[in-house]
């Protein structure tokens, strides 16, 4: 019998700087209720779901920077998500800014977690492809200071098996890199969950602004097809603090076909009944890695120098 899973992508509209965690978590809970009512077993939220996309600003005040980061998960403000999901019996995933305290100091990551239906964290992923710049650049209409705020994650694209399905996590800019999907697929992932915050304006190459929508689907559809993965791409969208963020939340089958897509740039739930075993249609045929792949002919791909 085929493994079938109802997956919901919970697109979020903008989070303004003045929105409290409580207000934002309440919107996430509303989306969770809706998704569960429609039969969702897995609910996927975007990157940095709990806050506004603060890397658009160069902040100097340490306390202000800290206010965007979580030091515990769940914490008092996020616990309601875990409690309600457990009551509803749904698994979920979302992104947040994470501050990890060590004896000698602290590290900051752009993080995403996968939570099983008993509200245990099954997988934690820290963004590997951290885009943007590390210093204030005055010529930009808004900053993209992810390299200033976040260290790149040091863990690979691991998988976790929940709901009888092998899941892997990636975050925003990761979705543009073919290595992300190939690494996941080689590790046995069947579903890739990818949250994003993508400004419509790309300051270093504004002549590509009109291609944001095209590139978004292009890379995720190619990643799905070329690796036989289900891909769930979830936006934080709309006009956030004067910055227009791309929507286009979608669920993509291993054939590369979009099977559900959001039609707004606000809070919106989309769902698909995903036959997880369709992964085999690709991986046992055109992209059967074992039979047709020639890794010995691609030495440059894994070269670290
Ligand atoms: N959040 C994130 O990674 N956004 C990037 C913006 C372009 S790079 C400045 C993205 O790849 O969508």
């Amino acid at each position: 019998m085929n493994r079938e899973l109802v997956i919901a992508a919970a697109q979020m509209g903008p989070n303004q700087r003045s929105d409290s965690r409580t207000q934002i978590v309440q919107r996430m809970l509303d989306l969770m209720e809706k998704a569960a009512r429609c039969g969702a077993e897995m609910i996927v939220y975007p990157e940095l779901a709990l806050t506004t996309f603060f890397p658009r600003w160069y902040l100097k005040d340490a306390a202000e920077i800290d206010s965007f980061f979580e030091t515990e998960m769940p914490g008092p403000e996020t616990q309601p998500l875990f409690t309600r999901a457990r009551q509803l019996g749904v698994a979920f995933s979302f992104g947040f800014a994470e501050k990890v305290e060590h004896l000698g100091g602290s590290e900051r990551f752009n993080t995403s977690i996968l939570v099983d239906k008993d509200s245990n964290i099954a997988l934690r992923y820290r963004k590997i492809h951290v885009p943007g710049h590390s210093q204030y650049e005055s010529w930009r209409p808004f900053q993209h200071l992810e390299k200033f705020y976040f260290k790149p994650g040091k863990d690979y694209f691991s998988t976790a098996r929940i709901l009888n399905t092998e899941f892997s996590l990636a975050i925003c800019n990761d979705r543009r890199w073919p290595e992300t999907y190939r690494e996941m697929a080689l590790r046995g992932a069947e579903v890739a969950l990818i949250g994003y915050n993508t400004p419509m304006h790309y300051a270093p190459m504004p002549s590509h602004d009109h291609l944001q929508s095209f590139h978004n689907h292009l890379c995720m559809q190619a990643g799905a097809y070329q690796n036989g993965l289900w891909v769930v791409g979830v936006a934080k969208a709309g006009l956030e603090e004067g910055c227009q963020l791309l929507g286009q939340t979608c669920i993509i089958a291993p054939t590369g076909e979009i099977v559900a897509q959001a039609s707004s740039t606000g809070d919106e739930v989309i769902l698909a009944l995903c036959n997880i075993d369709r992964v085999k249609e690709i991986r046992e045929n055109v992209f059967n890695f074992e039979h047709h792949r020639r890794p010995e002919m691609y030495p440059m791909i894994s070269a670290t120098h």
Side-chain angles (χ1 to χ4, degrees):
M1 207 164 93
N2 284 324
R3 288 171 300 151
E4 289 185 327
L5 203 56
V6 180
I7 301 182
Q11 177 174 284
M12 293 176 68
N15 290 343
Q16 307 306 342
R17 195 170 182 170
S18 58
D19 295 345
S20 67
R21 288 278 200 297
T22 308
Q23 285 172 318
I24 292 167
V25 166
Q26 186 55 55
R27 280 172 44 217
M28 293 172 76
L29 285 167
D30 292 346
L31 289 164
M32 185 182 280
E33 296 291 344
K34 249 183 228 175
R37 220 166 44 233
C38 297
E41 296 159 275
M42 161 64 68
I43 303 169
V44 190
Y45 298 97
E47 174 191 35
L48 297 177
L50 303 174
T51 60
T52 197
F53 189 79
F54 61 91
R56 72 170 64 90
W57 297 300
Y58 178 48
L59 304 171
K60 294 181 193 142
D61 182 74
E64 192 176 15
I65 293 173
D66 273 353
S67 73
F68 292 105
F69 283 80
E70 311 300 315
T71 50
E72 50 179 343
M73 189 54 66
E77 288 148 318
T78 43
Q79 182 61 53
L81 284 170
F82 289 70
T83 303
R84 189 60 186 139
R86 190 176 177 165
Q87 288 165 351
L88 293 167
V90 296
F92 64 106
S93 172
F94 69 96
F96 61 95
E98 180 190 28
K99 182 179 176 188
V100 184
E101 313 269 12
H102 299 300
L103 275 180
S106 62
E107 290 182 299
R108 294 163 192 272
F109 300 101
N110 188 339
T111 298
S112 178
I113 51 171
L114 176 70
V115 183
D116 70 16
K117 62 185 174 53
D118 297 315
S119 276
N120 300 307
I121 297 179
L123 187 61
R124 182 180 299 251
Y125 167 75
R126 293 172 175 144
K127 191 174 185 176
I128 289 172
H129 300 99
V130 176
H133 47 110
S134 55
Q135 286 178 338
Y136 178 70
E137 295 183 1
S138 60
W139 59 272
R140 291 173 183 262
F142 54 87
Q143 305 294 297
H144 198 107
L145 281 160
E146 283 198 65
K147 285 188 196 297
F148 173 69
Y149 291 110
F150 304 120
K151 277 187 125 173
K154 286 168 285 199
D155 300 321
Y156 302 124
F157 291 102
S158 306
T159 68
R161 190 168 192 85
I162 65 168
L163 303 171
N164 200 21
T165 300
E166 216 58 48
F167 286 92
S168 194
L169 304 173
I171 302 178
C172 195
N173 193 259
D174 288 325
R175 78 192 188 288
R176 303 185 190 275
W177 298 84
E179 292 88 347
T180 297
Y181 307 90
R182 181 53 54 90
E183 185 69 24
M184 287 178 173
L186 286 170
R187 287 169 177 272
E190 296 171 307
V191 183
L193 307 180
I194 311 177
Y196 58 89
N197 284 248
T198 293
M200 296 301 291
H201 176 57
Y202 181 60
M205 189 56 68
S207 60
H208 289 187
D209 285 2
H210 70 291
L211 298 172
Q212 286 298 351
S213 305
F214 169 59
H215 288 161
N216 181 45
H217 283 168
L218 177 71
C219 57
M220 291 195 290
Q221 288 181 265
Y225 169 60
Q226 292 171 338
N227 299 282
L229 285 166
W230 282 93
V231 174
V232 184
V234 189
K236 174 140 66 59
L239 189 63
E240 191 178 86
E241 295 291 349
C243 180
Q244 193 66 48
L245 299 175
L246 177 70
Q248 284 200 325
T249 290
C250 60
I251 301 176
I252 304 167
T255 51
E257 294 163 287
I258 293 177
V259 296
Q261 185 178 330
S263 58
S264 76
T265 52
D267 288 4
E268 179 178 345
V269 173
I270 61 164
L271 296 103
L273 176 60
C274 304
N275 175 352
I276 304 303
D277 287 314
R278 290 200 68 194
V279 161
K280 293 183 201 153
E281 292 174 21
I282 301 295
R283 287 213 212 143
E284 291 183 358
N285 295 300
V286 61
F287 295 121
N288 183 321
F289 292 161
E290 208 181 315
H291 287 144
H292 308 307
R293 202 167 158 268
R294 300 286 312 281
E296 72 279 13
M297 300 306 293
Y298 325 134
M300 297 305 287
I301 285 179
S302 59
T304 52
H305 48 274

